Amino acid sequence: MNKLNDYYKNITGNELSDKQINQFETYYEMLVEKNKVMNLTAITEKDEVYLKHFIDSIALASYKDFKKGMDVIDVGTGAGFPGIPLKIAFPEINMTLFDSLNKRIKFLQEVIDELGLDGSQTGEKGVGSCVAIHGRAEEGGRAKELREKFDLAVSRAVANMAVLSEYCIPFVKQGGYFIPYKTGKIDEELEEGKAAVKILGGKIEKTEKLMLPDSDIGRSFVFINKIKSTPKAYPRKAGTASKQPLK
């Protein structure tokens, strides 16, 4: 826990509150307990979960400000990474957790309720909400209430840049960002995904790379700025992006 607090302090200049520390602790306990009956993570040892899931999730804050009232969507959130740790660390952002498996969404709703992440504590309309939504990215990206509504889309989902961009960029409003969490070695994948990013209305601005503390784990963040609206043809119907990636 100290390592997480130290990392948070290094990024933000502030320490985690007792409430935030307890929220991370409870989230870990809920994750490990639910993992006994449902495949959420292969990593269950506490120090490893804190490093490879919690610290990794909030690492983006080294390069990106998470401002009050900012609308963020985590596409393919799985067990809640990076969305839940980001929401705990920056409670005044509005977080949407989006996943195609309803069982995971039900678990995430339990976490939201147990940790009090729904924004009711802030007392301000449009500040600090957290919702979990079930659906396929291809359908969500076309839904009127979700398409081009977010300041930031993040994803730790395992898919190449071309496919992931088609899943995520449609959610981002013009002027916003899609920032995927990729492994340290990204150059070749980035080159192959450039055309898709451009077609979808994005522009690759930069890539930030770091090593997680006291580890040999590399992480790359690709900053994709949404410079124009995504054409109506995208995202294509379910399954098409992975079978026929944009080139």
Side-chain angles (χ1 to χ4, degrees):
M1 188 64 218
N2 286 342
K3 190 181 285 188
L4 177 62
N5 204 2
D6 288 346
Y7 194 69
Y8 179 80
K9 187 176 181 180
N10 189 41
I11 293 173
T12 66
N14 301 309
E15 292 193 358
L16 292 167
S17 67
D18 289 344
K19 179 181 178 181
Q20 287 169 308
I21 290 169
N22 289 335
Q23 285 174 323
F24 275 114
E25 188 78 29
T26 301
Y27 182 28
Y28 168 73
E29 291 168 358
M30 292 180 74
L31 179 70
V32 172
E33 189 61 32
K34 182 63 75 171
N35 203 57
K36 293 175 182 177
V37 295
M38 183 180 163
N39 184 24
L40 290 170
T41 176
I43 303 165
T44 55
E45 199 274 319
K46 190 171 186 177
D47 286 345
E48 286 205 32
V49 169
Y50 271 71
L51 175 66
K52 296 178 181 178
H53 286 325
F54 296 173
I55 288 177
D56 183 46
S57 291
I58 68 171
L60 177 56
S62 295
Y63 309 106
K64 177 72 177 171
D65 288 336
F66 285 84
K67 296 177 181 177
K68 180 178 179 178
M70 181 181 184
D71 293 313
V72 184
I73 185 168
D74 178 8
V75 182
T77 185
F81 307 118
I84 294 280
L86 283 172
K87 174 61 182 167
I88 294 172
F90 306 98
E92 292 186 328
I93 63 172
N94 299 313
M95 178 61 70
T96 297
L97 305 165
F98 194 90
D99 199 83
S100 61
L101 191 63
N102 203 35
K103 284 195 294 185
R104 286 195 290 253
I105 290 297
K106 286 181 178 178
F107 165 69
L108 293 173
Q109 190 59 57
E110 290 172 12
V111 173
I112 291 168
D113 294 342
E114 183 65 30
L115 272 54
L117 298 177
D118 64 355
S120 57
Q121 286 80 6
T122 68
E124 290 185 60
K125 191 175 181 181
V127 174
S129 67
C130 188
V131 296
I133 298 176
H134 171 239
R136 294 187 66 107
E138 300 96 328
E139 294 160 1
R142 286 183 169 276
K144 187 178 179 182
E145 66 274 18
L146 297 173
R147 185 178 177 88
E148 302 194 328
K149 298 295 184 186
F150 295 90
D151 301 301
L152 174 64
V154 292
S155 184
R156 276 206 331 174
V158 180
N160 68 42
M161 277 295 299
V163 175
L164 205 52
S165 292
E166 187 167 349
Y167 290 160
C168 296
I169 291 177
F171 288 104
V172 182
K173 64 175 68 168
Q174 216 167 316
Y177 282 85
F178 164 46
I179 306 178
Y181 286 55
K182 306 300 290 184
T183 56
K185 296 175 182 177
I186 183 68
D187 299 340
E188 186 179 336
E189 185 182 336
L190 210 54
E191 191 62 36
E192 292 173 355
K194 274 184 178 178
V197 169
K198 186 176 181 180
I199 290 167
L200 294 159
K203 179 185 179 183
I204 298 172
E205 269 190 3
K206 61 178 179 176
T207 301
E208 298 285 1
K209 299 183 178 183
L210 57 73
M211 301 296 290
L212 295 183
D214 303 324
S215 78
D216 58 357
I217 302 167
R219 174 60 78 195
S220 293
F221 298 109
V222 184
F223 280 66
I224 299 170
N225 185 207
K226 181 77 169 277
I227 59 173
K228 60 182 180 181
S229 189
T230 299
K232 289 182 180 179
Y234 305 104
R236 293 168 290 172
K237 65 180 182 180
T240 307
S242 56
K243 291 174 186 172
Q244 301 168 14
L246 293 171
K247 294 179 181 179

